[in-house]
Amino acid sequence: MSDGTRNRCVSERGRQVMAEMRLADQHVTADGRLTTVGAAALIGIKHDTLKNWRSQGKGPPHFRAGQVWYRVDDVLDWIDEQERRCTEGH
């Protein structure tokens, strides 16, 4: 694979989430890449919202390799960061 995903490791937490998403028939690959639909489902938002965030430079990191992909660990880290920001502000 030209995007380097073959050599990238997925954390144990990421593997657990991937397994749960596969059981729920979500859009996740064996190496931990999520489609926009899968990433949006993991975050708990509509995929159109995630597309809008992406066009505004917001949301979790993503990359293009034929289509837009998100790494499960990047999305989980992004969710954690949003939670930290929220709790620090209170």
Side-chain angles (χ1 to χ4, degrees):
M1 296 176 150
S2 61
D3 63 13
T5 57
R6 183 174 297 174
N7 295 324
R8 188 158 173 131
C9 294
V10 178
S11 70
E12 179 61 30
R13 178 180 172 205
R15 283 192 296 276
Q16 290 172 346
V17 168
M18 289 167 54
E20 291 170 14
M21 291 183 76
R22 280 195 202 104
L23 288 174
D25 198 29
Q26 294 298 327
H27 301 263
V28 61
T29 64
D31 63 356
R33 289 175 292 142
L34 299 166
T35 63
T36 299
V37 171
L42 181 55
I43 296 168
I45 60 173
K46 295 180 180 180
H47 72 277
D48 287 337
T49 300
L50 188 55
K51 286 180 185 179
N52 289 337
W53 287 356
R54 191 170 62 233
S55 70
Q56 297 168 13
K58 299 178 183 180
H62 65 280
F63 65 98
R64 286 191 180 272
Q67 70 178 55
V68 175
W69 294 101
Y70 295 83
R71 296 191 190 283
V72 68
D73 286 328
D74 289 345
V75 174
L76 293 171
D77 290 345
W78 181 85
I79 292 169
D80 289 344
E81 179 61 28
Q82 303 317 299
E83 291 176 353
R84 277 192 295 277
R85 287 182 182 183
C86 185
T87 57
E88 290 172 358
H90 291 21

